Amino acid sequence: MTVSLGLPATPPKRLAPRRRSRQVRVGDVLVGGDAPVSVQSMTTTKTADVDATLQQIAELTASGCQIVRVAVPDTDDAEALPQIARKSKIPVIADIHFQPRYVFAAIDAGCAAVRVNPGNIKKFDDRVAEIAKAASAAGIPIRIGVNAGSLDKRLLEKYGRPNADALVESALWECSLFEEHGFRDIKISVKHNDPVVMISAYRKLAAACDYPLHLGVTEAGPTFQGTIKSSVAFGALLAEGIGDTIRVSLSAPPAEEVKVGIQILESLGLRQRSLEIVSCPSCGRAQVDVYRLANEVTAGLEGLPVPLRVAVMGCVVNGPGEAREADLGVASGNGKGQIFVRGQVVRTVPESQIVETLIDEALRIADEMTAAGTVGGTPEVSVF
């Protein structure tokens, strides 16, 4: 039996062709070229606390994170890297600032990549030859991570502030130093807290080189503000085909960063949709508690191991049409709900039974899909 997913027969075209870049390998994750855009995050634990760091990495892995970065500000953190890199289920990137010796410690520890911030590593340019040689021998890439908040003083003096041109010049200068030693296994980020400056910087960088780009709005803020800023910036660039891996920076638990990143990619058709909540804002026509229904359906279907589209409608104006187009749906009115399965009304239930009925039907459809071998990914739920 083939179960309709309520999806178009052919995927919608993306807004722009993907920028063709070099490809690097971060552990078992390809970045750039024709590889899918990957989602990253960063641990908030003290890296030297191996157990806590590995626990958080496990939580990030479960949330869909594909690459994780850990901070290495001191010797204790560097000494913890071998165990963390060995036990993590996803590639580990060492984040290095100030001390170039930790770059070599991270390479020796078996990290999948190293991020360096040339703006705050003293005499970094003098160590490029050694770093290039060590990274090349280990077969790992280097991310040149330029940040507005730690831009090289020479460029600040030249431009007066960390604008887009300053960020791009910093990144390309460092790339040129590595290139002098035959090292091109590089990816680049040019992060700024202002999405407008950040977008401009990445556009300029994309036009000036073919290195894979790591997108990020640095210090984006708390969950709500940071989500908006990152979505606007990433959406603009990814829709133009710019960007190969992303990290949403939030003042929130790292798993929240991953959730937002995944949703951004799904919204642009860059990843198969999973749990998608599109709920109506409600209005004077609604005759049921739309907010409660949307939240309870979302909670009840979270983790369902099949892609599934579910419509939950709060009134009879658009309700039947939207519910009919989904795999599973409800059109509500007068304290009742008509339950639709693949376009057909199967029953009418009181409002108090809508959530329970939808969950039961979803589980039944999931069993059918599993038996038929049509399970192809994570759940897709559209709540209208």
Side-chain angles (χ1 to χ4, degrees):
M1 175 186 294
T2 300
V3 180
S4 169
L5 303 183
L7 300 172
T10 57
K13 292 183 178 179
R14 295 169 186 164
L15 297 180
R18 179 84 174 275
R19 166 182 172 266
R20 297 294 295 181
S21 69
R22 292 173 176 269
Q23 189 172 82
V24 300
R25 180 179 291 275
V26 182
D28 59 358
V29 178
L30 294 175
V31 177
D34 58 357
V37 179
S38 54
V39 177
Q40 304 190 23
S41 186
M42 186 172 183
T43 56
T44 59
T45 58
K46 174 70 174 170
T47 303
D49 188 340
V50 173
D51 289 341
T53 301
L54 286 172
Q55 175 61 37
Q56 192 167 78
I57 291 175
E59 293 167 359
L60 285 167
T61 303
S63 71
C65 186
Q66 295 165 282
I67 300 171
V68 65
R69 186 157 43 108
V70 299
V72 189
D74 57 41
T75 302
D76 289 343
D77 299 313
E79 291 175 349
L81 289 176
Q83 191 174 355
I84 292 170
R86 184 174 68 253
K87 292 186 176 181
S88 174
K89 301 297 184 184
I90 57 177
V92 173
I93 297 177
D95 190 68
I96 310 298
H97 300 265
F98 304 113
Q99 294 291 345
R101 69 176 183 271
Y102 296 143
V103 174
F104 303 103
I107 293 171
D108 293 340
C111 290
V114 176
R115 179 274 174 111
V116 295
N117 186 339
N120 63 20
I121 297 181
K122 188 176 181 180
K123 297 184 178 179
F124 176 80
D125 292 355
D126 297 337
R127 307 296 299 273
V128 167
E130 298 171 71
I131 293 172
K133 181 179 179 180
S136 180
I140 68 169
I142 298 290
R143 171 157 74 95
I144 295 174
V146 178
N147 265 32
S150 53
L151 194 65
D152 189 291
K153 291 182 180 179
R154 294 169 297 176
L155 292 170
L156 284 176
E157 291 173 359
K158 177 178 178 179
Y159 289 97
R161 65 186 189 281
N163 59 20
D165 290 327
L167 296 174
V168 172
E169 182 173 329
S170 175
L172 294 179
W173 167 254
E174 299 303 334
C175 285
S176 72
L177 297 181
F178 278 95
E179 290 167 354
E180 287 178 2
H181 302 284
F183 188 86
R184 291 179 171 80
D185 207 6
I186 297 169
K187 57 192 176 88
I188 308 175
S189 63
V190 283
K191 297 186 178 182
H192 198 288
N193 60 59
D194 184 335
V196 175
V197 177
M198 176 268 199
I199 291 169
S200 177
Y202 277 100
R203 283 174 174 163
K204 292 173 182 286
L205 192 59
C209 72
D210 66 351
Y211 289 114
L213 303 182
H214 168 119
L215 301 188
V217 177
T218 191
E219 288 92 41
T223 302
F224 178 76
Q225 176 180 294
T227 296
I228 298 298
K229 290 170 73 172
S230 296
S231 298
V232 167
F234 292 5
L237 291 167
L238 291 169
E240 297 173 9
I242 298 172
D244 302 288
T245 185
I246 64 173
R247 189 258 172 124
V248 177
S249 298
L250 301 176
S251 299
E256 294 302 311
E257 298 182 347
V258 176
K259 291 178 183 177
V260 174
I262 290 173
Q263 284 293 316
I264 291 171
L265 296 183
E266 290 178 359
S267 297
L268 292 169
L270 294 170
R271 176 179 288 222
Q272 179 178 323
R273 292 184 181 274
S274 55
L275 183 61
E276 180 191 9
I277 307 303
V278 182
S279 55
C280 69
S282 190
C283 66
R285 297 191 302 264
Q287 296 176 326
V288 296
D289 187 343
V290 177
Y291 302 149
R292 179 184 64 82
L293 289 180
N295 288 333
E296 292 184 2
V297 167
T298 300
L301 293 180
E302 188 172 5
L304 194 68
V306 297
L308 187 68
R309 174 169 287 170
V310 178
V312 178
M313 295 299 294
C315 79
V316 296
V317 174
N318 297 315
E322 297 287 3
R324 189 175 293 112
E325 290 299 313
D327 294 303
L328 175 63
V330 60
S332 307
N334 296 319
K336 299 179 181 180
Q338 280 189 318
I339 306 298
F340 289 74
V341 175
R342 293 189 288 277
Q344 302 297 318
V345 177
V346 295
R347 71 179 88 171
T348 301
V349 299
E351 180 180 353
S352 61
Q353 296 179 20
I354 287 175
V355 174
E356 177 185 354
T357 303
L358 287 175
I359 292 173
D360 287 344
E361 290 292 341
L363 293 176
R364 183 182 61 78
I365 294 172
D367 288 341
E368 290 180 357
M369 294 175 69
T370 301
T374 57
V375 178
T378 48
E380 175 169 352
V381 181
S382 296
V383 183
F384 295 90

